[in-house]
Amino acid sequence: MPVSQTRRARASRRRARRVAASGSDLTAAQWQRILDAWGCCAYCGGDGAALQKDCVLPISRGGRYTLENVVPACRSCNASKSNDEVTSWMRRRRLDEPAFLRRWAGILAGFRAEGAAEAEG
């Protein structure tokens, strides 16, 4: 079967190679924990649509799909953010950057505490 040479297909293959090379290790159980912790789009607070995995630090900038780097995002926010740095993107969109950062830090602290408790016992 010939390999598709469309621009979208080439971009998809490049992205798949970058994700594979990044050492991403997010499991389905971890993604569910993230969804449960946030309960809505991490950026705009929208909760009506299916949420997508978004790397706070994009893969193209050295990020990985990990428990600490992934947040749920609605399709609109995920597409708009693309591979931008999250704080400057939030400022441009006039979203509540300080609230996002406080909530993200709190959720990460909870994940770390859960991980420490699991390691002890």
Side-chain angles (χ1 to χ4, degrees), residues 47-117:
D47 61 354
L51 298 172
Q52 303 173 349
K53 297 174 190 164
D54 184 55
C55 290
V56 175
L57 177 64
I59 295 208
S60 63
R61 295 176 184 246
R64 302 180 316 146
Y65 280 106
T66 62
L67 184 63
E68 295 197 358
N69 191 45
V70 171
V71 296
C74 65
R75 183 176 183 174
S76 173
C77 286
N78 199 4
S80 170
K81 181 178 165 280
S82 184
N83 70 338
D84 289 344
E85 194 273 326
V86 70
T87 55
S88 60
W89 170 78
M90 290 188 84
R91 285 183 207 131
R92 275 195 318 275
R93 293 273 317 257
R94 293 194 169 107
L95 296 171
D96 193 353
E97 174 195 1
F100 164 75
L101 294 173
R102 282 191 300 272
R103 185 153 186 222
W104 186 41
I107 288 172
L108 290 179
F111 288 161
R112 290 179 185 135
E114 289 172 11

